[in-house]
Amino acid sequence: MVARDIFTAVDFLKQAGEPALRRFLRAHRGTLDVELRFEATFNRSAVAVDGDQRDGAEVETAAFGLAVHYGGRDGVVCIGQTGTEIGRLALNRTKLLGALEVGLAEAYERARASAREKAALLKSLGGKASSLLAMTPVAPATARDEVEAIFQRDPRTIAPDEMKLACRDASAAICGLGSEIAFNVVAAHAELRHELFINTAGALISQAFAFSQGDCYVVAASGDGHQETYDTIGQQRGFEALAEGCRDELMPNPDLQTFAVDLARETRELSAAPALKPPDREVTVVTDPHFNALVAHEIVGHPSEADRALKMEAAYAGRSWFLRSLDHNEIGRQIGSPLLAACSDPTLNGYGHYLYDHEGTAARRMIHIDSGIFRGFLNSRATAAALGVEPNGSARASEGWHVPLVRMSNTFFMPGESDPQRIIAEVDDGYYVCGNLIPSIAESRENFRISARRVYRIEHGQLGRLYRAGSVMGDSKQFFMNVDAVGNDLRLLAIPNCGKGQPMQVKRMSNGGPTMRSRARLGGG
């Protein structure tokens, strides 16, 4: 049978998926559990450049990922995984089930091959390889739930010309700001995604998501210099979030044109501002929520991912300053001021929102830093077992055919009690650092240099001259220990393109924080 709507494949697998997995489980000796992840997606996009309509696209596809958990006779437990983008073949039910059967056989053989290799290591190394048997597998998920997408305007119902015109009008409005605007790009994107997780332990979880995203890049030039600026707005909502704006408490955004024009005005102003001449000493810095979003992402979020901490990414992405080894780490230790707190919370309505991860584990808030003390990592079922803790629902893949990795969700510094204006007013001599641009991070994230969009001089509690091309440099722990004020103005920002893994997986999330004050050295941009 052939259907027309790619999302009908999800409804079909809700009925046919469990029986297919159970048949495979019964027919293949040693299989402990079988998991299916299936996703159907529709997205529409448009781009305008310098006031001219350029590209527009509509893409509809489907993909699946499979995992077979296998137990050998010697007690070794292994996982075999595979996945593929099946596209519109998912509309043919016979071909879809056939592709799943082929994938399950491949995953099973990979699990058996892994078990044979582990058994050989145990035989040759004896007690030196005892860790291969030490980890107790985490029980598979059993939840059954339906989670609907939130939108007023279904991305599938948007007329292609409406999105193209929205980008063109925003780009043209930027051009209308004056001759200082040398170049601009405005892009918009809307997506509907439906994910399904099924296993042979009884789990059946259906989650749907709507995404809307606007991007803007502006180059401005003046007699004093030039400035390049880019930024993103995004919501897990329908196209109304771009057409009308969104008044969400933690992550509000204006409509697409207002966002683009405001960014262009800032860029034009910065092009006429002098470049920062960094002082030759450590100074007081007040950092705004936008800047702190990138600090939260790079210095807290990635180092808090357990696969990175356990050195699974060491060869290509680095390690974590929170964990040198299982015996030498920062868990339970003071790594920041008592005013500092940070967490990841996928249950909040941010760009990284979800209620179940791609292993079927329920999402929950994970505290990373509490009163300056490091408390723990984001994890998957496997990394939770390695660390001897409960899984916290942080294993996700960017597409169905990829293996889930440990990922941030909505990761941010938590708010304090101070008024942001008072935080600035208390500074006699320092700098106010606003907006983030480019991170430069050490291998284990133990120190950093993050460039800012704007830097203001603070003199006697008042904002003074504006500078461009500035950055903040610091030792991560020292920067956190020096935090002496935390604002009550928590904001989250949409992060559209966090890359991780080999092959690369790009994931959406939110990062943020309130205004904070610390001490650091400043550098050029």
Side-chain angles (χ1 to χ4, degrees):
M1 178 179 177
V2 178
R4 292 184 178 180
D5 184 350
I6 198 80
F7 293 93
T8 61
V10 176
D11 296 325
F12 168 65
L13 287 176
K14 287 180 183 178
Q15 304 300 319
E18 281 189 288
L21 298 187
R22 292 185 188 280
R23 285 194 300 270
F24 184 88
L25 177 71
R26 291 193 297 268
H28 291 77
R29 180 186 302 175
T31 302
L32 306 175
D33 183 37
V34 184
E35 298 173 358
L36 162 66
R37 292 179 293 111
F38 182 84
E39 67 178 24
T41 60
F42 171 92
N43 65 67
R44 189 186 301 285
S45 61
V47 179
V49 178
D50 289 336
D52 292 329
Q53 211 171 279
R54 290 294 176 90
D55 299 321
E58 177 182 309
V59 178
E60 184 180 70
T61 191
F64 64 79
L66 297 162
V68 173
H69 299 252
Y70 175 84
R73 295 178 181 178
D74 46 13
V76 171
V77 176
C78 295
I79 303 174
Q81 302 191 65
T82 190
T84 188
E85 183 176 17
I86 192 171
R88 292 185 65 82
L89 286 179
L91 297 173
N92 186 309
R93 295 177 177 180
T94 300
K95 291 183 177 180
L96 175 57
L97 290 176
L100 291 177
E101 290 177 4
V102 171
L104 286 169
E106 182 178 353
Y108 177 71
E109 290 305 320
R110 288 180 175 181
R112 292 183 66 200
S114 180
R116 289 194 297 270
E117 292 298 319
K118 286 188 177 181
L121 281 173
L122 284 166
K123 184 176 180 179
S124 64
L125 299 178
K128 294 179 181 179
S130 60
S131 62
L132 296 176
L133 297 172
M135 291 191 300
T136 302
V138 176
T142 58
R144 302 181 77 86
D145 202 356
E146 295 263 353
V147 182
E148 299 294 330
I150 301 173
F151 56 81
Q152 295 176 16
R153 300 185 60 189
D154 188 327
R156 295 172 294 181
T157 66
I158 304 167
D161 286 345
E162 180 181 3
M163 184 175 285
K164 292 177 183 178
L165 289 173
C167 293
R168 186 200 68 183
D169 291 348
S171 181
I174 292 175
C175 293
L177 293 178
S179 60
E180 299 93 341
I181 303 299
F183 181 75
N184 79 83
V185 180
V186 178
H189 174 92
E191 179 178 301
L192 184 66
R193 175 182 293 259
H194 199 153
E195 300 176 352
L196 183 66
F197 177 88
I198 304 173
N199 68 12
T200 49
L204 195 159
I205 301 165
S206 169
Q207 294 185 100
F209 306 87
F211 296 94
S212 289
Q213 180 178 309
D215 303 283
C216 184
Y217 172 73
V218 184
V219 179
S222 71
D224 297 315
H226 84 283
Q227 176 72 21
E228 299 179 36
T229 310
Y230 56 88
D231 208 350
T232 295
I233 53 174
Q235 301 285 345
Q236 283 202 25
R237 295 291 187 273
F239 188 67
E240 68 275 1
L242 297 184
E244 305 163 17
C246 181
R247 298 182 179 180
D248 184 81
E249 180 182 0
L250 292 180
M251 199 169 70
N253 67 259
D255 63 83
L256 179 63
Q257 182 166 321
T258 301
F259 157 70
V261 170
D262 286 348
L263 186 70
R265 285 178 174 146
E266 177 187 322
T267 308
R268 182 179 61 181
E269 181 184 18
L270 283 167
S271 71
L276 177 70
K277 294 182 178 179
D280 60 0
R281 67 189 188 285
E282 186 178 84
V283 296
T284 298
V285 292
V286 178
T287 51
D288 82 334
H290 195 292
F291 183 86
N292 290 331
L294 195 51
V295 179
H297 183 98
E298 301 289 1
I299 310 305
V300 177
H302 277 308
S304 292
E305 294 164 345
D307 49 1
R308 169 184 284 269
L310 292 169
K311 301 176 177 54
M312 297 177 182
E313 299 182 337
Y316 56 86
R319 300 170 293 173
S320 169
W321 68 287
F322 295 142
L323 192 143
R324 272 72 177 178
S325 70
L326 293 177
D327 297 322
H328 298 89
N329 56 72
E330 301 293 346
I331 299 173
R333 297 178 181 273
Q334 198 83 30
I335 59 138
S337 157
L339 298 175
L340 191 70
C343 72
S344 292
D345 192 344
T347 67
L348 291 178
N349 289 325
Y351 216 36
H353 167 75
Y354 60 92
L355 295 183
Y356 297 90
D357 76 354
H358 290 161
E359 295 180 329
T361 305
R364 63 181 176 88
R365 172 173 285 199
M366 180 64 201
I367 300 295
H368 303 304
I369 304 172
D370 181 21
S371 300
I373 297 172
F374 183 71
R375 294 300 185 188
F377 297 93
L378 302 168
N379 62 41
S380 59
R381 290 171 59 192
T383 56
L387 293 170
V389 298
E390 291 295 316
N392 51 40
S394 303
R396 295 185 298 145
S398 59
E399 286 85 23
W401 64 86
H402 283 312
V403 172
L405 306 174
V406 181
R407 302 304 299 260
M408 283 178 270
S409 54
N410 302 312
T411 300
F412 56 94
F413 293 109
M414 300 171 74
E417 300 179 355
S418 298
D419 183 305
Q421 297 303 317
R422 184 172 181 83
I423 292 175
I424 294 171
E426 292 172 344
V427 177
D428 186 59
D429 182 20
Y431 293 84
Y432 181 41
V433 180
C434 302
N436 70 71
L437 282 176
I438 301 171
S440 178
I441 311 297
E443 181 266 349
S444 295
R445 313 278 164 143
E446 73 275 16
N447 52 61
F448 65 91
R449 175 176 176 170
I450 296 176
S451 61
R453 287 199 340 218
R454 309 184 311 282
V455 179
Y456 297 89
R457 190 81 163 88
I458 304 175
E459 295 180 289
H460 308 299
Q462 300 293 320
L463 293 184
R465 189 163 193 178
L466 169 66
Y467 297 94
R468 60 180 171 85
S471 62
V472 175
M473 302 183 292
D475 171 90
S476 300
K477 185 173 182 178
Q478 184 178 350
F479 183 78
F480 286 171
M481 292 293 287
N482 284 335
V483 170
D484 65 2
V486 177
N488 56 14
D489 57 337
L490 171 63
R491 289 292 182 271
L492 298 181
L493 280 78
I495 306 298
N497 56 352
C498 174
K500 177 173 176 173
Q502 290 289 352
M504 179 65 71
Q505 297 189 37
V506 178
K507 199 71 178 164
R508 302 180 181 102
M509 58 195 59
S510 289
N511 294 117
T515 297
M516 293 164 53
R517 189 173 65 208
S518 184
R519 293 188 62 80
R521 297 185 71 91
L522 297 184

